[in-house]
Amino acid sequence: MRILLTGGSGFIGSHIALLLLERGFDVLILDSFINSSYNVIYRIENYLDNKKINSKLETVVGDIRNKKLLNNIFSDSIKEEKPIDAVIHLAGLKSVSDSLINPLHYWDVNVLGTLNLLLTMKEFECYSLIFSSSATIYGLSDTVPMAEDHKISPINPYGQTKVAIENMFHDLYNSNINFWKICSLRYFNPVGAHPSGLIGEDPIGNPNNLFPFLTQVAIGRQKLLKVFGDNWDTKDGSGIRDYIHIVDLAEGHLACIDYLNSKDACLEFINLGSGKGYSVFQIIRQFELSTGCQIPFSIQSRRDGDVAECYADISKARKLLGWTPLKSLDQICIDGWNWQMKNPNGYS
Ligand code: WQD
């Protein structure tokens, strides 16, 4: 099978690309590289050479808002007799705090970009799609763990764009062309790195997210970790989240491809998380235990857009995809630290 992987050079995309190629899929990455380094591609190519994996990796630098480019990608794939069998669509903006400052940019890239992709897929009769959605769409947690039928009420523009895209899927699936096969995977908090240390999380500028900030404190790039609030209504007052190893998350996409291949048509919304909630203080303690690093921190006020507690009920992914997360929080810390140690300045 040949997979078009949009946003394939990002943290999540690069781990999915590596796994797809290892499992014998050919991959075409489309990425604008505004949020990632082209060095990721060189790393993946070297990995394939060293492991003598002969799946094909091709890369196109471009923006999913460029409809002409998308058309060329699909038409060329047919001309060259290597049609795109399915799309894994990750390309998009993902920072909650940035989306609060620049919402229209998020609507443009995330929603218009996805609309362009769907129009092109329809035109070229490619109806298999896996989409990167997010637990952010649940907003304030009524109950935890959160199942897919949890109330959807995003509290930031980033989450709103994910809801808008999921609504497009509903309309599309209920239209007259009812052989779309769509899985919208709702990621919780992907963290860690490939055990090789070849690829990992390398945010541009100061990390917004906890885990990459924490590994940068450990390597000495950041002085101390700011804990955004210790007065949340949680067991130790710090925020609780569902941290899933990035390799477990990537495996969830492979399981999803098998699921789509087994269906004539489907539309499913599926949580991908570890199913466990850990507080910020628990993460700090585990990271120190697993790596021997000391993580100095200071307590700050709460961050806009944050919620107290959010972790997944993953029974649907287990049942429908036959998938379950295998890596522990200890493994997450070890692999995340291994990546940061081997790449103190990320890919640059
Ligand atoms: C985790 C916890 C913070 C940074 C975000 C997006 C979500 C998804 C994953 C895309 C919270 C605390 C954080 C720091 C801290 N991305 N924290 N100090 O906010 O749960 O989810 O990333 O889909 O959409 O919203 O992740 O890592 O930013 O925060 O104390 O420097 O760590 O308050 O409790 P979050 P996060």
Side-chain angles (χ1 to χ4, degrees):
M1 279 182 78
R2 187 169 189 239
I3 307 287
L4 169 60
L5 179 59
T6 74
S9 79
F11 170 45
I12 297 172
S14 55
H15 286 80
I16 294 171
L18 202 63
L19 216 51
L20 286 169
L21 291 157
E22 275 183 320
R23 301 286 163 82
F25 292 87
D26 290 337
V27 177
L28 170 56
I29 286 178
L30 168 62
D31 204 306
S32 63
F33 292 91
I34 51 159
N35 260 339
S36 53
S37 161
Y38 202 88
N39 287 333
V40 176
I41 305 298
Y42 299 135
R43 296 277 181 101
I44 294 174
E45 286 169 345
N46 292 341
Y47 184 84
L48 298 178
D49 290 348
N50 298 339
K51 295 256 178 184
K52 309 233 177 319
I53 296 167
N54 50 25
S55 312
K56 295 240 176 343
L57 169 62
E58 293 165 86
T59 303
V60 171
V61 182
D63 190 310
I64 46 166
R65 291 170 294 178
N66 181 341
K67 181 90 180 44
K68 189 162 178 2
L69 173 65
L70 284 173
N71 257 294
N72 293 343
I73 286 171
F74 277 85
S75 55
D76 291 352
S77 69
I78 290 170
K79 261 184 252 157
E80 294 156 12
E81 294 178 1
K82 40 185 188 179
I84 291 165
D85 299 294
V87 178
I88 299 179
H89 176 36
L90 311 178
L93 302 175
K94 63 145 215 153
S95 163
V96 167
S97 48
D98 290 354
S99 76
L100 292 162
I101 299 161
N102 200 350
L104 290 183
H105 189 38
Y106 274 67
W107 282 87
D108 187 24
V109 175
N110 293 1
V111 179
L112 182 63
T114 303
L115 177 60
N116 274 346
L117 177 66
L118 292 173
L119 287 167
T120 310
M121 288 178 72
K122 181 166 174 282
E123 193 179 325
F124 289 89
E125 299 180 331
C126 174
Y127 296 112
S128 293
L129 173 68
I130 296 173
F131 173 66
S132 72
S133 188
S134 169
T136 304
I137 65 172
Y138 295 126
L140 302 170
S141 44
D142 278 349
T143 52
V144 279
M146 302 150 101
E148 288 80 358
D149 61 357
H150 183 284
K151 180 168 59 62
I152 289 180
S153 58
I155 58 172
N156 54 68
Y158 163 71
Q160 293 289 2
T161 65
K162 295 294 186 181
V163 173
I165 292 164
E166 291 200 349
N167 287 335
M168 274 197 223
F169 297 154
H170 280 291
D171 292 347
L172 195 54
Y173 186 69
N174 297 322
S175 68
N176 59 341
I177 300 181
N178 59 1
F179 26 74
W180 281 93
K181 306 198 279 191
I182 300 174
C183 276
S184 182
L185 301 180
R186 294 170 177 172
Y187 305 160
F188 280 69
N189 292 50
V191 287
H194 190 269
S196 66
L198 263 177
I199 55 174
E201 189 165 12
D202 181 26
I204 293 176
N206 283 329
N208 289 316
N209 297 134
L210 174 71
F211 202 80
F213 201 103
L214 191 148
T215 58
Q216 287 191 13
V217 169
I219 200 83
R221 279 175 62 183
Q222 305 287 344
K223 281 211 173 358
L224 88 166
L225 175 70
K226 296 188 185 75
V227 176
F228 296 138
D230 65 348
N231 57 355
W232 292 97
D233 181 15
T234 61
K235 50 195 169 194
D236 63 16
S238 64
I240 291 176
R241 295 292 186 278
D242 180 319
Y243 298 94
I244 174 172
H245 195 294
I246 186 67
V247 171
D248 277 332
L249 188 89
E251 288 286 2
H253 291 72
L254 274 290
C256 200
I257 290 175
D258 292 342
Y259 176 74
L260 290 184
N261 287 339
S262 73
K263 307 296 287 182
D264 295 329
C266 69
L267 171 60
E268 294 294 349
F269 302 90
I270 306 171
N271 287 340
L272 281 191
S274 68
K276 298 185 187 105
Y278 289 106
S279 74
V280 176
F281 290 135
Q282 282 177 304
I283 295 292
I284 294 171
R285 249 195 318 279
Q286 181 63 56
F287 190 85
E288 291 181 332
L289 265 176
S290 304
T291 65
C293 299
Q294 288 304 308
I295 303 293
F297 62 85
S298 68
I299 308 295
Q300 307 283 316
S301 51
R302 295 180 180 184
R303 179 179 62 174
D304 287 349
D306 261 354
V307 295
E309 196 163 6
C310 169
Y311 62 94
D313 172 337
I314 54 172
S315 40
K316 183 173 181 180
R318 286 199 166 105
K319 186 159 151 276
L320 218 58
L321 305 181
W323 168 88
T324 191
L326 302 175
K327 302 214 179 220
S328 65
L329 185 60
D330 177 40
Q331 198 58 54
I332 285 172
C333 294
I334 290 168
D335 291 339
W337 176 229
N338 179 50
W339 149 257
Q340 190 72 86
M341 262 194 309
K342 288 182 175 167
N343 305 274
N345 295 308
Y347 290 107
S348 53

